[in-house]
C-alpha cells in the first residue's frame, strides 16, 4: 500500500514525534488539532463568540468517528471518557444481570460494572483465555478490551462475539487501544466505547459510544441535560424531552477538546485507518524482527525486561512500563529510523 504522506511530511505535521513510542498512554496531535485548540482558547478569551458556534464541532467529530468505524452517526453518542460511557451502559443493566469480564481488564471498563454490584449486578471474572468459556446461557453481557493496554494483545473478538451470540449475550467493547489503527467490524458489537486520545490522536475530554440499532431503548440517559434534547434548547423545566437518536445519551460537550478532536479525526480520515494500521504493524514488526521476536498483529511491542528503559529515555525515547514490562507503542508518526535507533539501544541493553 502506498502511504499518503512521506516521512518528512509526517515529521512536519507531528513535530514532537521523534522517539515517541507511548501512544498506548496518549497519542500526539497533528498540528491542525493543536491549532484548533489554540484557536478555541483565543475565541474564549475574547468572549465575543457565542457557545452555539462551538456546538457543530462535536457533531463533526461524531460524523468522522462514525465514518472511521463504518457505522451510522445516528448510532453514536458523545461523552467525556470511557469509564463515563461504560458507566452509562452498566447502570442501565437490570438487577441480576450477569456480566463476564477478563480478570485483568482495564479498570475503566471493569470498575463501572463492579460499582454496580451493590445494585445487584453479578460480575464474573475469568482469565482472558477462558473468557469464551465463561459466556454461557444466562450471561447478559460480555465486556472486553479489543486490544489490551498492558500487553497490546488483540483478543479473539470473533470467538467472543460468536459465543455471545450463541448465549444471547450482549457484547460491550472497549476500543480505546484499537480505534485509529485497527479496522474490524465494529458495527457487529452491541456497544463500542472509544476514547480518541490515544490512537485517534485527539485531546483528553472526548469519547464516543456506538450503540447497535435496537439496543438504544435499553439504555438510560443518565447524564442527559439540555445537550441531549432534540433541539439542544430544552433549557428549563420538564417534562423530559430527549433526542430521538443515540444523541439522547450525549453529555454536555467539553468545547476545547471537541475542537481538537474534530481536527484530529479529519486527519485520520485523510490518511485512512488501513494505511495507518499497515504502517504501524510494519514498523512494530521491523523492531520485533531485529530483536528475534515473532511477528505479531499489534503495534504495541512488549519486552519482558525493563532494563533498557533508562537508556531509551536518555536517547530521547518515550516509552512506558505499565505492568513491569517495557511497552513500545508504534504509531503513524513513528519512523523506520526510530525503530532502528531503538533497536540498537535495546540490543546493547541485553
Ligand atoms: C483499554 C483502555 N480503556 C480505557 C482507557 C481510558 O479510560 P478513561 O477514558 O475512562 O480514562 C484506557 C487508557 O487510559 C485504556 O487503555
Amino acid at each position: 500500500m502506498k502511504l499518503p504522506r512521506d516521512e518528512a511530511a509526517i515529521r512536519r505535521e507531528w513535530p514532537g514525534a521523534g522517539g515517541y513510542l507511548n501512544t498506548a498512554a496518549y497519542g500526539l496531535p497533528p498540528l491542525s488539532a493543536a491549532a484548533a485548540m489554540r484557536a478555541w482558547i483565543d475565541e474564549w478569551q475574547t468572549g465575543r463568540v457565542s457557545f452555539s458556534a462551538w456546538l457543530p464541532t462535536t457533531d463533526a467529530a461524531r460524523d468522522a468517528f462514525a465514518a472511521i468505524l463504518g457505522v451510522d452517526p445516528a448510532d453514536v453518542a458523545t461523552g467525556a471518557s470511557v469509564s463515563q460511557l461504560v458507566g452509562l451502559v452498566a447502570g442501565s443493566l437490570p438487577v441480576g444481570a450477569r456480566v463476564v469480564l477478563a480478570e485483568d481488564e482495564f479498570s475503566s471498563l471493569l470498575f463501572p460494572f463492579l460499582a454496580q454490584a451493590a445494585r445487584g449486578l453479578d460480575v464474573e471474572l475469568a482469565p482472558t483465555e477462558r473468557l469464551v468459556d465463561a459466556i454461557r446461557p444466562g450471561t447478559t453481557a460480555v465486556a472486553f478490551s479489543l486490544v489490551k493496554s498492558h500487553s497490546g494483545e488483540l483478543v479473539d473478538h470473533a470467538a467472543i462475539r460468536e459465543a455471545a451470540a450463541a448465549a444471547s449475550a450482549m457484547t460491550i467493547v472497549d476500543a480505546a487501544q484499537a480505534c485509529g489503527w485497527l479496522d474490524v467490524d465494529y458495527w457487529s458489537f452491541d456497544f463500542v466505547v472509544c476514547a480518541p486520545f490515544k490512537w485517534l490522536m485527539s485531546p483528553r475530554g472526548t469519547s464516543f459510544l456506538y450503540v447497535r440499532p435496537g439496543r438504544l431503548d435499553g439504555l438510560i440517559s443518565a447524564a442527559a441535560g439540555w445537550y441531549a434534547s432534540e433541539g439542544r434548547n430544552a433549557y428549563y423545566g420538564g417534562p423530559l424531552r430527549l433526542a430521538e437518536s443515540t444523541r439522547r445519551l450525549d453529555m454536555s460537550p467539553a468545547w476545547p477538546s471537541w475542537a481538537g478532536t474534530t481536527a484530529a479525526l479529519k486527519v485520520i480520515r485523510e490518511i485512512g485507518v488501513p494505511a495507518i494500521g499497515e504502517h504501524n504493524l510494519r514498523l512494530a514488526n521491523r523492531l520485533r524482527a531485529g530483536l528475534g521476536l515473532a511477528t505479531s498483529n499489534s503495534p504495541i511491542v512488549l519486552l519482558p525486561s525493563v532494563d533498557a528503559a533508562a537508556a531509551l529515555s536518555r536517547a530521547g525515547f518515550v516509552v512506558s512500563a505499565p505492568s513491569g514490562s517495557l511497552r513500545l507503542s508504534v504509531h503513524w508518526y513513528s519512523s523506520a529510523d526510530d525503530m532502528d535507533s531503538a533497536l540498537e539501544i535495546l540490543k546493547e541493553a541485553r
Side-chain angles (χ1 to χ4, degrees), residues 83-105:
S83 39
Q84 175 248 326
L85 288 167
V86 174
L88 203 143
V89 178
S92 300
L93 293 176
V95 169
R98 187 171 158 269
V99 185
V100 172
L101 296 111
E103 58 195 8
D104 63 347
E105 188 50 82

Side-chain angles (χ1 to χ4, degrees), residues 34 128 198 201 249 323:
T128 302
K198 298 173 185 287
M201 308 179 193
L249 304 172
S323 56

Side-chain angles (χ1 to χ4, degrees), residues 81-83 106 108 145 147 149 174 176-177 195 197-198 204:
S81 68
V82 167
S83 39
F106 190 75
S108 287
S145 287
V147 176
S149 61
D174 178 341
Q177 298 286 358
F197 70 90
K198 298 173 185 287
R204 247 310 191 177

